[in-house]
Amino acid sequence: MPFTIFNSIISWFLKKRKHQMELFLKYPIDVQNELLSKLISKAKNTEVGQNFNFSSIKNYEDFTKNVPIQQYETIEPLIERSRKGEQNIFWPTPIKWFAKSSGTTNSKSKFIPVSDEALEDCHMKAGKDMLCMFFNNNPESVLFKGKGLRLGGSSAVYEDNNSYFGDLSAIIIENMPFWADFRSAPKQEVALMDEWETKMKAIVDETIEEDITSLVGVPSWMLVLLNRVLEKTGKNNILEVWPNLEVYFHGGVNFNPYREQFKKLIPKNNFKYYETYNASEGFFAIQDLNNSSDLLLMLDYGIFYEFIPMDTFNGENSEAIHLSEVKLNVNYAIVITTNGGLWRYLIGDTIKFTSLKPYRIRITGRTKHFINVFGEELIIENAEDALKQACLKTNAEVSEYTVAPIFMNEEKSGGHEWLIEFSKEPTCINYFTELLDNALKAINSDYEAKRYNNMTLAMPKVIVARKGLFYQWLKKNGKLGGQHKVPRLSNSRKHLEELLSLELVN
């Protein structure tokens, strides 16, 4: 089939989905309530359904009374039984896939159940919706005249006790529809390679002669790949290699620290950036407008949402609220109930709503990734915004960073220590530090109060990391590629001290 006809047919098919979205856009609360009822009804005869008396649940209030909020550690014994072949524990249809989660703080892996329904009605549906929104906003697109470059995780899929586990991206590639696989690069055997550096070389070798029209992957790792493409080809920018490149679909980390670097690599005024929000537990939100920083919360993917205001957050003992009760610009932890058998599961992410008609969100960080040693309540969103301001005023560019507390002693105030790897270093690091500090004061009133007269918090300490330090740390810890990322903020000095020890060794 000629590519022009193929592009037209697929784009027409994807655009049709936009009309189906109108239902949850017009009636979001009804759609969510009906979804919850269906999930409970379907799972009422499972072990979890019987333990929590799903048959007696008539409404959301009953649901919150019967089913407790749960973290992974609580449900891990059930998941381990399921991985060994037991069925009908938390979901009635057979579960054979488990997404091995690449959490940033725990070295211990999590295995998230992925049902057939979650694969088809959540992850696969989201992939199509991502393209649907792009085509609806850019009707002139000829995306399918070329191929999409996918940069997934470095894990292959492994069989264990008649079940399969691996990086979520590997599971999706294994189950991808023929038309999507047909228009994707690299080929499946390369995409599923386990050894990251060998895989990167193979991707470069395979794709430099292809007509790549879209990119999909985590920004930090995509930058590594694009720079290696330029090294291999000797070209000045990516458009000299792939002139028909139209869009980059990204997620996994905040894009702001990487934006200027991508603009230099892809110097095209009408080039599009589309953000997605997905995890091993589900696909949650997609940017639905060109040039937007907001993500549309997808309400018909088999996921029922609840939210915990972070000012009352207390882990599994927290009180969650219904979508109908959320307010703008409040920091919330997300609780999900899914068609993969997760019930009131605390995923660890925090968001805020930027719109209630429709429900649009921005990711603000993690429930565990913040610094609040001195009552400053510094979240990732604050750090990213302040870095962006300091970089703009000093013409600097940040590749990676992490922040940890400097604990008080009898003589000195506490503080924050920033280890930053720059792709373009500021001329004066002291001036950069001052700008960073002032931006944090302007953004976060708690931080500003603790900085008053240096009584609680002293001026931040910024250490410039050598090039490649964070890459070396990730490699040493077996976390190259895919969804693996550097922990940004921590209440302990564990990650920072490990990085500093590598800095001193070299």
Side-chain angles (χ1 to χ4, degrees):
M1 183 186 297
F3 288 159
T4 302
I5 298 174
F6 182 82
N7 184 81
S8 300
I9 292 172
I10 294 296
S11 60
W12 172 82
F13 171 77
L14 291 169
K15 288 174 185 175
K16 285 188 67 177
R17 161 66 176 149
K18 192 72 169 69
H19 298 293
Q20 298 171 3
M21 293 183 196
E22 294 298 325
L23 182 64
F24 79 74
L25 290 172
K26 287 183 178 178
Y27 308 105
I29 305 306
D30 292 337
V31 167
Q32 278 280 282
N33 287 339
E34 184 179 347
L35 172 61
L36 177 61
S37 179
K38 287 180 177 178
L39 292 172
I40 291 169
S41 177
K42 184 154 188 171
K44 65 184 178 183
N45 293 321
T46 62
E47 182 177 319
V48 167
Q50 292 176 345
N51 286 344
F52 294 126
N53 198 10
F54 279 13
S55 296
S56 71
I57 297 175
K58 306 300 180 187
N59 51 42
Y60 174 65
E61 288 70 27
D62 291 344
F63 180 61
T64 62
K65 290 175 184 174
N66 283 32
V67 185
I69 292 172
Q70 300 169 98
Q71 295 174 312
Y72 184 82
E73 291 73 20
T74 301
I75 64 173
E76 183 178 20
L78 297 181
I79 289 176
E80 287 305 304
R81 285 171 52 199
S82 181
R83 287 188 63 210
K84 291 175 181 177
E86 286 191 58
Q87 299 292 348
N88 204 41
I89 298 175
F90 37 74
W91 191 247
T93 60
I95 292 178
K96 62 178 180 179
W97 296 99
F98 293 85
K100 187 177 179 182
S101 177
S102 55
T104 53
T105 53
N106 296 325
S107 56
K108 186 177 181 180
S109 296
K110 298 179 181 179
F111 294 89
I112 305 300
V114 182
S115 66
D116 288 344
E117 293 91 337
L119 262 178
E120 187 63 34
D121 298 332
C122 183
H123 294 290
M124 296 298 184
K125 189 175 182 179
K128 289 179 278 191
D129 283 355
M130 179 178 76
L131 294 170
C132 162
M133 291 176 185
F134 178 75
F135 273 108
N136 272 278
N137 292 328
N138 305 279
E140 74 290 349
S141 170
V142 288
L143 209 61
F144 285 102
K145 287 182 73 174
K147 291 187 176 183
L149 194 161
R150 58 193 180 194
L151 184 59
S154 56
S155 287
V157 172
Y158 302 96
E159 184 175 358
D160 183 32
N161 298 314
N162 296 315
S163 65
Y164 300 85
F165 70 91
D167 186 279
L168 177 66
S169 60
I171 294 172
I172 290 173
I173 289 170
E174 284 274 350
N175 292 275
M176 191 174 284
F178 81 93
W179 60 266
D181 193 44
F182 174 63
R183 300 311 307 156
S184 298
K187 55 183 177 288
Q188 191 173 106
E189 52 264 39
V190 172
L192 292 175
M193 275 185 177
D194 196 17
E195 207 287 307
W196 181 251
E197 292 179 326
T198 304
K199 172 179 172 174
M200 289 288 271
K201 183 181 183 303
I203 292 175
V204 172
D205 291 342
E206 181 182 332
T207 58
I208 55 176
E209 299 301 328
E210 294 278 9
D211 181 15
I212 301 297
T213 54
S214 66
L215 305 172
V216 182
V218 175
S220 51
W221 297 115
M222 186 60 73
L223 273 179
V224 174
L225 175 66
L226 296 183
N227 280 308
R228 292 193 182 182
V229 166
L230 294 184
E231 288 173 14
K232 174 78 174 181
T233 61
K235 302 296 186 182
N236 294 312
N237 64 66
I238 292 299
L239 295 176
E240 293 180 8
V241 184
W242 300 316
N244 298 317
L245 196 61
E246 289 187 30
V247 59
Y248 172 34
F249 298 101
H250 63 87
V253 297
N254 188 303
F255 191 56
N256 281 336
Y258 305 99
R259 191 178 300 276
E260 293 306 313
Q261 296 174 70
F262 273 93
K263 284 182 179 179
K264 288 180 180 178
L265 289 171
I266 310 170
K268 186 176 183 178
N269 289 335
N270 63 344
F271 186 77
K272 302 295 190 299
Y273 297 91
Y274 266 63
E275 185 174 358
T276 63
Y277 174 25
N278 65 311
S280 298
E281 295 86 353
F283 208 118
F284 309 127
I286 304 172
Q287 179 184 328
D288 64 321
L289 300 170
N290 285 341
N291 306 314
S292 174
S293 298
D294 300 337
L295 309 180
L296 180 68
L297 190 63
M298 306 304 288
L299 302 177
D300 65 348
Y301 283 0
I303 300 174
F304 178 77
Y305 293 97
E306 298 174 82
F307 304 90
I308 302 169
M310 281 305 290
D311 59 2
T312 64
F313 183 80
N314 187 25
E316 292 183 334
N317 298 314
S318 303
E319 297 250 345
I321 61 173
H322 191 278
L323 179 65
S324 60
E325 300 178 72
V326 299
K327 298 177 181 178
L328 292 174
N329 298 314
V330 174
N331 208 29
Y332 292 108
I334 304 179
V335 178
I336 59 171
T337 292
T338 78
N339 54 5
L342 298 176
W343 299 97
R344 303 200 80 200
Y345 181 81
L346 193 58
I347 63 174
D349 290 344
T350 60
I351 57 97
K352 68 178 180 182
F353 285 88
T354 57
S355 166
L356 302 182
K357 292 183 179 180
Y359 287 99
R360 290 196 181 99
I361 64 171
R362 290 187 189 177
I363 305 162
T364 56
R366 299 275 296 168
T367 55
K368 293 181 179 179
H369 294 186
F370 58 88
I371 298 183
N372 194 31
V373 174
F374 312 103
E376 67 274 44
E377 297 188 21
L378 187 71
I379 62 174
I380 292 175
E381 186 186 35
N382 300 157
E384 302 280 8
D385 288 348
L387 271 179
K388 182 180 178 181
Q389 291 183 40
C391 284
L392 282 173
K393 292 177 181 178
T394 59
N395 199 28
E397 292 174 0
V398 171
S399 295
E400 297 287 0
Y401 75 93
T402 192
V403 191
I406 300 170
F407 294 103
M408 291 179 173
N409 60 34
E410 294 179 0
E411 301 173 1
K412 294 182 179 180
S413 302
H416 293 166
E417 188 167 355
W418 295 65
L419 182 62
I420 305 176
E421 185 179 324
F422 293 95
S423 53
K424 186 177 181 182
E425 203 171 315
T427 305
C428 177
I429 198 65
N430 289 335
Y431 180 52
F432 179 90
T433 305
E434 185 179 334
L435 290 171
L436 178 66
D437 183 48
N438 288 337
L440 288 169
K441 288 177 186 175
I443 292 166
N444 184 322
S445 59
D446 291 308
Y447 177 88
E448 182 184 32
K450 301 303 179 293
R451 282 282 293 116
Y452 180 72
N453 285 342
N454 295 330
M455 289 180 65
T456 305
L457 283 177
M459 174 74 79
K461 178 182 179 181
V462 175
I463 299 173
V464 178
R466 61 176 169 79
K467 296 286 175 65
L469 175 65
F470 286 89
Y471 186 93
Q472 183 185 348
W473 180 79
L474 287 165
K475 183 177 181 179
K476 181 182 177 184
N477 287 280
K479 290 182 176 289
L480 285 182
Q483 296 291 321
H484 295 295
K485 42 194 177 282
V486 174
R488 298 304 194 198
L489 307 180
S490 176
N491 277 319
S492 83
R493 292 183 58 85
K494 177 179 180 291
H495 304 303
L496 182 67
E497 294 294 350
E498 288 178 0
L499 283 153
L500 289 175
S501 67
L502 284 177
E503 179 86 354
L504 292 172
V505 167
N506 290 269

